[in-house]
Amino acid sequence: GKVRAPTHIISTISDDRGEEPCYAGVPMSSIVEKGYGVGDVISLLWFKRSLPRYCTHFIEICIMLCADHGPCVSGAHNTIVTARAGKDLVSSLVSGLLTIGPRFGGAIDDAARYFKDAYDRGLTPYEFVEGMKKKGIRVPGIGHRIKRGDNRDKRVELLQRFARTHFPSVKYMEYAVQVETYTLSKASNLVLNVDGAIGSLFLDLLAGSGMFTKQEIDEIVEIGYLNGLFVLARSIGLIGHTFDQKRLKQPLYRHPWEDVLYTK
Ligand code: ACO
Ligand code: LMR
C-alpha cells in the first residue's frame, strides 16, 4: 500500500489545492453565489461551520460596532502617533493593535470565561463580584473610562436589542445585566461595557444556536476566540486613522510639556 510521508503542518480550515480555494470545504464560488457576507466567512474559518443567518448577522454587527471609537482611545492614539512618525500602514496598524488587551478591547474572552463560570456555578451577582474583589481581580467586561450609568454605551444597547429579538435564549446576557445592576450600585462607571456585552452574548450564541457541543463551547472559551472579533473590527478603524493622518500630512507628534507632571 501507499506510505504517507509524515507532514510538518496540519491544517483544517482552508484548502487551495483544487480549482478554487475552499473555506471549511465551501468553495469560493458558493460563497459568492450564495451572497455570503463576512460573518459567514468568519463562521467558516474560525468555527469551521456555516452558522444560521442571525448568528452571522450578529457577528457582522459586532464588527461594525467595534470598528472605531474615535481618535482618543489607546489603539487609535498609538496608530496616529506611529503614522505621524512616518511609518507605513502595517507598522501604524500593529502599533494600535498592540494596545488591545485586558483593559482595552481584549477583555471579551475573560468576560466570557468569568461570566460563564459564575452563571454555570449558580453564583448570585453579589457572590460573583465580591468573590472577584476578594481575589483582587477586576470583573472583565465591567467598567468604562467615559460611560456611566446615566450615559450608557449605545453599542451595548444595540447588541442587546438584536439578541433579545433574534436569539433563542439570552441567559448569559441577562446574568451580565444583573451583574451590572449590582456593580452600578457600587459606582456609576461600572457599566457593562462592549467587551462584556459581546462576551456574554457570544456565550448565548454558542449555547443557543444548537451548532456546538458543550465540549466545543468549552474549547472556544478556553482557547479564547472572541478577542479576535475586536482585533478584526478595530483594524478597520486603525487603517482609517492611518490614511487620515497621511491625507492630512500631519507632522511628527510630540506630546506637550504642559501635559506631563515632571516630578521626583
Ligand atoms: N471590576 C471591579 N471594580 C472595578 C472595575 C471592574 N471591572 N473597573 C473599575 N473598578 C473599580 C475599582 O475599584 C477601581 O479602583 P482600583 O484602581 O483600586 O482597582 C475603581 O473602580 C476606579 O477604577 P479606574 O481605574 O479609575 O477605572 P478606569 O476608568 O481607569 O478603568 C477600565 C476603566 C480599564 C475599563 C476598568 O473598568 C477595567 O479594568 N475593566 C475591566 C476590563 C475591561 O472590561 N476592559 C474593556 C473596556 S471596553 C473597551 O475597551 C472597548
Ligand atoms: C473603545 O471601543 O475603544 C472604547 O470603548 C474605549 C474607550 O475608552 O472609549
Side-chain angles (χ1 to χ4, degrees), residues 253-263:
Y253 179 80
R254 196 174 199 284
H255 202 73
W257 278 320
E258 310 81 79
D259 192 39
V260 175
L261 173 64
Y262 290 90
T263 181

Side-chain angles (χ1 to χ4, degrees), residues 102-105 107 138-145 190 193-195 230:
R103 292 182 182 168
F104 169 67
R138 288 181 174 195
V139 182
I142 294 286
H144 200 275
R145 290 306 300 254
L190 297 184
N193 61 43
V194 73
D195 283 13
F230 193 91

Side-chain angles (χ1 to χ4, degrees), residues 80-87 241-253:
I80 289 170
V81 171
T82 308
R84 289 182 55 168
K87 301 289 299 249
H241 283 291
T242 306
F243 296 157
D244 195 35
Q245 296 306 305
K246 304 270 182 204
R247 193 167 47 225
L248 294 167
K249 299 195 180 3
Q250 288 297 283
L252 180 66
Y253 179 80

Side-chain angles (χ1 to χ4, degrees), residues 47-118:
F47 300 104
K48 294 177 50 176
R49 71 206 70 191
S50 286
L51 291 175
R53 178 63 190 136
Y54 80 86
C55 296
T56 60
H57 193 180
F58 177 75
I59 291 172
E60 285 165 7
I61 292 174
C62 291
I63 302 293
M64 292 189 290
L65 296 184
C66 293
D68 198 40
H69 209 237
C72 302
V73 305
S74 305
H77 183 83
N78 259 23
T79 288
I80 289 170
V81 171
T82 308
R84 289 182 55 168
K87 301 289 299 249
D88 59 289
L89 173 62
V90 176
S91 306
S92 304
L93 169 62
V94 298
S95 160
L97 288 179
L98 287 173
T99 63
I100 297 175
R103 292 182 182 168
F104 169 67
I108 311 179
D109 284 312
D110 271 345
R113 286 182 191 120
Y114 281 106
F115 283 135
K116 183 172 189 307
D117 179 68

Side-chain angles (χ1 to χ4, degrees), residues 6 32 44 86 100 152 225 232:
V32 174
L44 293 171
I100 297 175
R152 300 292 252 281
Y225 286 29
L232 178 65

